[in-house]
Amino acid sequence: MVTKKEFERIYPKQLTPRQHQVLNLFLQGKSEPEIMDALRVNNRSSVRHHIANICDLFGLRNEPGEHNVLRRDLIDLFAKYKPEMLNPEIIIDWPRNPPDLESPERSPVPLNSPFYGSRFSLESDCYEEIESEGAMLRIKGAEKMGKTSLLLRILDHVKNKQYQTVCFNFMDAESALLSDLGLFLRWFCQNVCNQLNLDSQWITSLDFSKPGIVLPCKNKFQTEVLAKVTNPIVLVLEELDIIFLYEKLAKDFLPMLRSWNEASQRENVWKKNLRMVLVYSTNCYVKLDVNQSPFNVGFLVELTEFAPQAVQDLASRHQLRWNDEDLSKLMAVIGGYPYLIRVALYRLARQEMTLDQLLETAATDEGVYRRYLQSHWATLQKYSTWKEAFKQVVIADKPVKLEQLPEFHLLSMGLVKATTKGVIPSCQLYRDYFREKFQDS
């Protein structure tokens, strides 16, 4: 913000007579057409040009993609140093339309939400890829990293392309299904037919109780599903990590997906009519032959932390006018983790507290993250091996090498992140909060 000394150096001496006229009308709350009428000009861009030049004199400059921020900053500047120049109503009413804030607990972020944290070119890359024949998208990211919100936008895109979708979330599958390949494949095929409104009589011709069912299932899928649809099918498999917990199923089903993808590269009916989207949190810890794994083919979309530019963009959408110091203070504690960022911006935009107050209590059971952190603590209480592994990570001052299984689970939860030398806490918030918990327990 411009200091009072700087303000007095610039105003009124450095403004032209025409800039004074424009500024006075603007500060009285006049619209661009009203300013045009008062000045008897017929070019709206001339008015905008004068306002932009006035802002420039005070060192107020837009970032790429911003449009109205300077006008708000100009109002704030004169409200601070020359309030007598402003129409009182403009102070009361500014900003005229505060954002309709969305709770960060909403998941996924709605399609029309102004608070979706776009990852810039990532969405367009996904749209382009899913339109390719035989495409396989692999969306990988820890809990609360935005996988479902991105998937929602991909599904909306393919809907506009008139593609058909078949969606599975393996959280909906009972353990009895996941423990038996035959039961699972029958359930899988039946749901495909149900979602596509196709006749499922062919399923009764397969003996799912016998070994070797994967190949007959593939052949029937080709003749009874792919050959009978008129538009490409996008097969979406969410929470694929759950399959990893059932090693026997994983060793049959995951290679089947790889086989289907390979067929989609060679055979016309597969290439034309099937695209797949796999959504999961961490690397597969079931040992698969490199030529049978679906996790080394297709287009990988790995969701990572938001960059500072993206966080600043979200802050602007919440009508928070931050400088680099504010941004650095927040990210030093919570990094660029989408959910943590959204919670902070939501609370700050509601003016429940200042940034310093939020950060002071963030790693405590009185802070804005208390429910989220307590939920993770409750999960760790249920799984002693995960808890002990995470304790090592939190207490250590350098990366820690963990056993494979607890490391995968902690990565999936988003509590740790991998480095070349081991894992570390994902952010300072987790280190501070859980270190205190481990000391007390």
Side-chain angles (χ1 to χ4, degrees):
M1 178 64 73
V2 177
T3 66
K4 184 175 182 180
K5 185 176 180 179
E6 290 169 335
F7 179 88
E8 291 175 344
R9 177 178 56 82
I10 297 165
Y11 182 83
K13 296 179 181 179
Q14 294 189 27
L15 273 65
T16 67
R18 180 61 94 182
Q19 287 174 340
H20 275 288
Q21 289 177 309
V22 172
L23 179 62
N24 287 333
L25 291 166
F26 172 69
L27 295 179
Q28 287 302 305
K30 302 299 183 183
S31 65
E32 287 179 355
E34 289 172 333
I35 296 175
M36 288 167 58
D37 289 341
L39 299 180
R40 298 182 180 179
V41 298
N42 57 11
N43 188 345
R44 180 175 289 196
S45 65
S46 174
V47 174
R48 294 177 180 173
H49 181 71
H50 284 304
I51 294 175
N53 284 342
I54 294 167
C55 288
D56 194 58
L57 283 173
F58 289 104
L60 305 175
R61 295 180 179 87
N62 270 326
E63 294 295 328
E66 293 181 339
H67 301 288
N68 296 320
V69 175
L70 294 187
R71 299 184 175 216
R72 181 171 64 229
D73 289 349
L74 193 60
I75 293 285
D76 290 343
L77 188 63
F78 276 82
K80 184 172 184 178
Y81 297 126
K82 276 285 185 181
E84 66 272 17
M85 292 185 63
L86 272 71
N87 179 340
E89 292 184 4
I90 209 174
I91 301 176
I92 297 170
D93 197 38
W94 190 267
R96 291 183 177 84
N97 296 305
D100 293 325
L101 297 172
E102 292 173 3
S103 169
E105 306 304 329
R106 291 187 67 179
S107 182
V109 181
L111 282 173
N112 59 351
S113 170
F115 304 110
Y116 173 66
S118 174
R119 298 172 191 264
F120 302 103
S121 65
L122 184 62
E123 287 87 353
S124 59
D125 289 344
C126 290
Y127 302 155
E128 182 178 351
E129 184 65 24
I130 203 65
E131 291 180 34
S132 304
E133 291 186 339
M136 176 188 276
L137 276 178
R138 294 186 288 117
I139 302 175
K140 176 186 174 186
E143 178 184 317
K144 299 286 191 180
M145 288 298 287
K147 300 188 296 296
T148 308
S149 295
L150 174 60
L151 177 62
L152 182 66
R153 282 147 182 83
I154 294 171
L155 291 176
D156 183 65
H157 180 78
V158 300
K159 178 182 177 182
N160 292 332
K161 291 288 179 181
Q162 306 301 312
Y163 296 173
Q164 301 177 87
T165 56
V166 176
C167 300
F168 286 88
N169 186 319
F170 290 115
M171 291 185 69
D172 297 331
E174 298 93 336
S175 59
L177 287 175
L178 299 171
S179 302
D180 185 291
L181 177 64
L183 288 176
F184 176 82
L185 289 180
R186 182 189 294 275
W187 170 81
F188 184 83
C189 293
Q190 185 65 57
N191 273 281
V192 168
C193 292
N194 291 347
Q195 292 187 47
L196 295 173
N197 293 316
L198 293 175
D199 184 0
S200 62
Q201 286 299 310
W202 58 271
I203 296 175
T204 61
S205 67
L206 294 174
D207 189 346
F208 290 94
S209 64
K210 288 185 177 180
I213 187 59
V214 170
L215 183 57
C217 188
K218 175 184 176 181
N219 293 337
K220 283 290 187 180
F221 189 85
Q222 175 178 324
T223 59
E224 301 297 332
V225 178
L226 297 181
K228 294 188 176 180
V229 296
T230 55
N231 295 324
I233 298 169
V234 178
L235 176 62
V236 178
L237 306 177
E238 290 188 78
E239 301 289 348
L240 193 57
D241 313 67
I242 291 175
I243 299 293
F244 305 166
L245 300 172
Y246 298 82
E247 185 174 352
K248 188 175 180 181
L249 175 64
K251 288 187 173 181
D252 289 315
F253 181 64
L254 297 176
M256 186 185 87
L257 296 179
R258 170 65 178 264
S259 172
W260 286 17
N261 175 253
E262 290 180 350
S264 298
Q265 311 309 308
R266 299 189 307 263
E267 302 173 34
N268 285 337
V269 68
W270 288 83
K271 182 185 295 185
K272 178 182 176 183
N273 288 336
L274 182 66
R275 292 102 197 266
M276 288 189 279
V277 181
L278 313 185
V279 186
Y280 53 103
S281 296
T282 186
N283 293 332
C284 179
Y285 48 80
V286 177
K287 290 184 179 180
L288 298 173
D289 185 284
V290 66
N291 297 314
Q292 293 185 316
S293 173
F295 301 110
N296 52 21
V297 293
F299 183 78
L300 175 62
V301 180
E302 189 160 8
L303 301 185
T304 55
E305 298 175 59
F306 284 151
Q309 179 185 1
V311 178
Q312 184 67 272
D313 177 63
L314 273 174
S316 295
R317 297 187 204 184
H318 285 78
Q319 295 191 4
L320 297 171
R321 296 184 291 283
W322 278 7
N323 55 35
D324 291 343
E325 183 182 356
D326 295 327
L327 185 65
S328 297
K329 284 166 64 175
L330 180 66
M331 295 189 72
V333 175
I334 64 174
Y337 285 89
Y339 173 74
L340 302 180
I341 293 291
R342 286 285 312 280
V343 169
L345 298 182
Y346 176 75
R347 294 302 188 92
L348 293 171
R350 285 166 57 92
Q351 300 183 358
E352 296 179 7
M353 62 194 72
T354 66
L355 176 59
D356 287 339
Q357 289 169 338
L358 184 148
L359 295 177
E360 184 179 353
T361 60
T364 72
D365 285 324
E366 287 74 45
V368 298
Y369 300 112
R370 59 186 177 277
R371 290 182 182 176
Y372 181 64
L373 295 169
Q374 288 167 356
S375 174
H376 275 316
W377 181 245
T379 299
L380 292 171
Q381 299 295 86
K382 295 178 184 177
Y383 301 96
S384 58
T385 55
W386 306 2
K387 180 180 177 181
E388 288 305 310
F390 190 46
K391 182 177 182 179
Q392 294 178 49
V393 176
V394 165
I395 293 175
D397 294 323
K398 59 183 180 180
V400 175
K401 294 282 188 181
L402 297 178
E403 293 293 327
Q404 187 181 57
L405 196 54
E407 178 177 311
F408 280 132
H409 285 295
L410 294 174
L411 285 168
S412 177
M413 294 169 70
L415 291 176
V416 302
K417 58 184 176 183
T419 72
T420 55
K421 296 183 179 180
V423 297
I424 59 175
S426 293
C427 59
Q428 191 63 38
L429 173 73
Y430 294 159
R431 183 185 292 279
D432 292 343
Y433 179 83
F434 290 105
R435 178 177 281 178
E436 187 73 21
K437 285 293 184 183
F438 285 125
Q439 288 175 351
D440 293 341
S441 63

